[in-house]
Amino acid sequence: NKMKLKRFVFLLLSGSHTQKILNTKINQPLSLNSENANYDVYYLYKKTGQIVKEYGLKELYGIDDCFFDVEIKNNETNLIIFLLDGKKRINLVRVVFHWKNKFGGIQTPCLNIFKF
């Protein structure tokens, strides 16, 4: 479901990272409009107290109008989620699939998501 995947990526990039928030908002329409396009996303590293500005939401403005797709390469365990804005490709995130060990076995599927 590409629309749900687009919402998921938008929510992650706009700072919604908890399962509770994602479950609540994943079925709602994208909520970026001209009123909140000037907000910025910041992250706080609790150990150091350092605050880092990641990016402004205005960079995501118009995500709903762009062509959205997924690139999956053969024999790789990752995929790239990207937008096409006109002829320009904008890579958003890379999703890497792997398994975590649980008591010496491979029992826990996991996704690591990296922003470009």
Side-chain angles (χ1 to χ4, degrees):
N1 183 330
K2 285 189 181 180
M3 194 61 217
K4 203 173 239 188
L5 184 61
K6 184 186 284 191
R7 287 185 192 129
F8 176 72
V9 171
F10 172 79
L11 288 168
L12 288 178
L13 293 177
S14 63
S16 299
H17 299 124
T18 66
Q19 185 174 352
K20 182 178 179 181
I21 292 173
L22 289 171
N23 286 339
T24 301
K25 294 185 176 184
I26 196 74
N27 292 314
Q28 298 175 358
L30 296 177
S31 61
L32 185 63
N33 55 47
S34 59
E35 293 176 8
N36 62 10
N38 290 321
Y39 285 85
D40 294 323
V41 176
Y42 291 87
Y43 292 98
L44 169 67
Y45 293 100
K46 291 182 179 180
K47 288 185 178 181
T48 64
Q50 179 184 9
I51 297 175
V52 177
K53 179 181 176 187
E54 186 69 17
Y55 50 83
L57 288 183
K58 64 184 174 189
E59 295 173 16
L60 297 176
Y61 190 75
I63 190 173
D64 203 25
D65 299 326
C66 293
F67 177 76
F68 183 85
D69 209 351
V70 177
E71 176 186 11
I72 303 171
K73 294 182 181 179
N74 288 337
N75 299 321
E76 291 192 15
T77 59
N78 67 83
L79 56 87
I80 297 172
I81 300 171
F82 65 92
L83 294 176
L84 284 179
D85 188 10
K87 293 183 179 180
K88 181 180 177 186
R89 176 177 160 150
I90 303 166
N91 291 335
L92 296 173
V93 295
R94 178 183 302 271
V95 179
V96 179
F97 303 96
H98 68 96
W99 296 85
K100 291 183 177 181
N101 289 336
K102 182 176 179 182
F103 305 111
I106 301 175
Q107 298 180 7
T108 310
C110 183
L111 300 175
N112 285 343
I113 302 173
F114 302 94
K115 180 182 174 289
F116 277 92

